[in-house]
Amino acid sequence: MKLADYEPIVGRSVIEELRLLASKMAGREVQNINSTFVGGGVAEILNRMVPILQELGVDARWTVIKGSPAFFEVTKKLHNALHGRPEDVSDEDFDLFLDINRRNMAEMDFHGQTMFVHDPQPCALVERKGDAGGKWIWRCHIDVSSPDERVWRFLERYVVRYDATVFSAPAFSRPLPVRQFLISPSIDPLSDKNKELTSREIDSAMAGMGIPRDKPIVTQVSRFDYMKDPVGVIRAFEQVRRSIDCRLVLIGGGATDDPEGEKVLAQVREAAGGRVDIHIVAGQTRSDIEINALQRASAVIVQKSLREGFALTVAEALWKARPVVASDVGGIPLQVRHRLTGLLSHGIDGTAYAVRQLLSNPDYARWLAENGREHVRHNFLITRHVRDYLLLFLALDHTEDVIHL
Ligand code: UDP
């Protein structure tokens, strides 16, 4: 995939602007560091961001920290606590977090002008800033606006050592004594997850997953995570099902840094109670083409999260011009403008009501979905994201108020 391939989607001027900006930083080394190559939104973005930056002449790389299952148990707790969910985080947990970060510090090669550290898991690596040098950026993908104070105070000791922080939306950030940049995530319209598919490809993927297409399909694509509320989706579906014949699909592979998945999956299976019209696709990680096909084959896409980061799944659904019902949390309202690009919902009853509304008004659903696609085209495609990162790197190199390109 080449940058020129994006021209028919976003227009020539967007691509030319990227080339101009990148020409100001040819060869710049940018080392991305996170905690997993697969699963979840951060890996999803880096998978495409890194090759595009490379094509633009930026020396972008991607490294993953090594952690034990116990470390990922702790980081999951920290993640939940930062989202504001009560968690029992002990001093030993903080010690383990630091211990694993320090072991990674000792092993990792930190050469590069820019260290781009993603999310809390590797946040303490910044202790190496003094000897490694370069500019250090902490990119926070989660909503830390109302965190567990004790956990935030622990993390903040490291966050303040960075040269800059990046949050996904204004509402996600914290008052901090370091520069903050607000950059929304994005999706890649040409990736296997989002590219156009033929109806034959869609049919064959759906058959492969064993999902019949005889009735409208309501889908949630999400890791099996308490915050994504898959059990709530089942409860809402049960209400919808009383008046409209349809199927529910819950699909979620496992992220390697998420140990909670098995527990939530067991709860989901119990809530579904073996109903034949509820399809739980789990266990085996499904290909991006399969997720793409399922999203395209769905009549309504739901994202009933209790708390969210940005929710890439919403952008993916809107880009495919699918009608969306999603909770009014995290980055979702940036994407779903209520009654304009989709429906924002509250609680189980609200979700059921909105899903019913869309299933019984296909013209209205189509209108919302088409608006949603244009909203994503202008705001949430990877070309906009690359531009924002290039501007961020430039801004870090300059302290003057006006930068002449
Ligand atoms: N995803 C996937 N397979 C699954 C579940 C999720 O490929 O079974 C992808 C999904 O399509 C999206 C990403 O994982 O691209 C999840 O990102 P999001 O921001 O929605 O949530 P996160 O997992 O980061 O909280």
Side-chain angles (χ1 to χ4, degrees), residues 45-348:
I45 291 169
L46 286 176
N47 249 313
R48 292 303 306 139
M49 177 65 74
V50 169
I52 292 178
L53 285 174
Q54 284 169 348
E55 187 190 333
L56 282 165
V58 177
D59 184 3
R61 289 171 224 167
W62 178 9
T63 319
V64 165
I65 56 164
K66 288 186 202 137
S68 59
F71 171 74
F72 289 121
E73 298 264 352
V74 170
T75 58
K76 182 71 197 198
K77 278 204 259 180
L78 298 186
H79 176 97
N80 290 340
L82 290 167
H83 263 302
R85 184 174 144 193
E87 283 285 351
D88 191 12
V89 185
S90 66
D91 288 344
E92 290 72 35
D93 290 340
F94 288 134
D95 289 345
L96 178 66
F97 176 86
L98 276 184
D99 181 46
I100 297 285
N101 265 265
R102 287 182 179 145
R103 277 193 220 180
N104 278 281
M105 274 174 226
E107 281 179 19
M108 285 170 84
D109 175 12
F110 285 104
H111 78 281
Q113 287 153 301
T114 308
M115 299 297 161
F116 210 162
V117 179
H118 298 262
D119 278 341
Q121 299 93 330
C123 182
L125 295 181
V126 73
E127 284 191 336
R128 279 285 301 276
K129 183 178 156 191
D131 64 289
K135 299 282 184 193
W136 286 63
I137 305 166
W138 186 56
R139 204 296 182 226
C140 179
H141 292 264
I142 58 183
D143 178 356
V144 291
S145 55
S146 47
D148 175 299
E149 280 301 325
R150 184 165 154 265
V151 170
W152 173 253
R153 274 200 306 277
F154 168 78
L155 202 70
E156 193 184 24
R157 302 209 302 260
Y158 303 97
V159 175
V160 297
R161 298 193 203 176
Y162 283 83
D163 295 290
T165 55
V166 181
F167 292 92
S168 295
F172 286 18
S173 61
R174 306 276 309 163
L176 283 168
V178 282
R179 288 171 88 184
Q180 295 192 28
F181 294 82
L182 303 172
I183 300 179
S184 340
S186 62
I187 59 164
D188 183 346
L190 298 179
S191 65
D192 282 352
K193 176 72 62 67
N194 297 306
K195 68 183 187 188
E196 298 293 329
L197 296 178
T198 62
S199 39
R200 267 180 65 182
E201 286 171 312
I202 297 173
D203 290 346
S204 115
M206 294 297 283
M209 288 186 284
I211 304 168
R213 305 199 48 202
D214 51 344
K215 304 171 189 178
I217 296 171
V218 177
T219 297
Q220 176 161 294
V221 177
S222 273
R223 294 177 293 106
F224 289 102
D225 181 318
Y226 167 83
M227 299 285 193
K228 309 283 183 185
D229 199 18
V231 172
V233 178
I234 292 176
R235 299 290 172 239
F237 172 76
E238 284 164 346
Q239 289 189 25
V240 173
R241 192 66 184 73
R242 276 184 224 140
S243 53
I244 301 177
D245 194 11
C246 53
R247 293 184 184 278
L248 174 66
V249 179
L250 293 172
I251 185 162
T256 54
D257 62 350
D258 182 5
E260 230 176 26
E262 286 304 315
K263 226 185 296 173
V264 177
L265 182 56
Q267 288 167 5
V268 166
R269 290 199 198 283
E270 196 188 323
R275 284 185 69 148
V276 289
D277 48 8
I278 300 182
H279 302 263
I280 298 163
V281 186
Q284 153 191 14
T285 300
R286 294 293 172 166
S287 72
D288 285 353
I289 299 266
E290 286 174 305
I291 305 281
N292 185 345
L294 173 60
Q295 287 167 327
R296 289 180 190 279
S298 300
V300 174
I301 304 260
V302 175
Q303 190 61 54
K304 203 204 155 301
S305 303
L306 304 174
R307 299 296 299 257
E308 253 308 339
F310 179 72
L312 283 177
T313 49
V314 170
E316 289 162 7
L318 293 176
W319 177 245
K320 294 167 185 113
R322 293 293 85 209
V324 170
V325 171
S327 310
D328 189 2
V329 296
I332 289 175
L334 296 175
Q335 306 178 65
V336 176
R337 301 283 182 188
H338 188 51
R339 297 194 187 143
L340 194 60
T341 66
L343 297 180
L344 289 174
S345 63
H346 298 266
I348 290 169

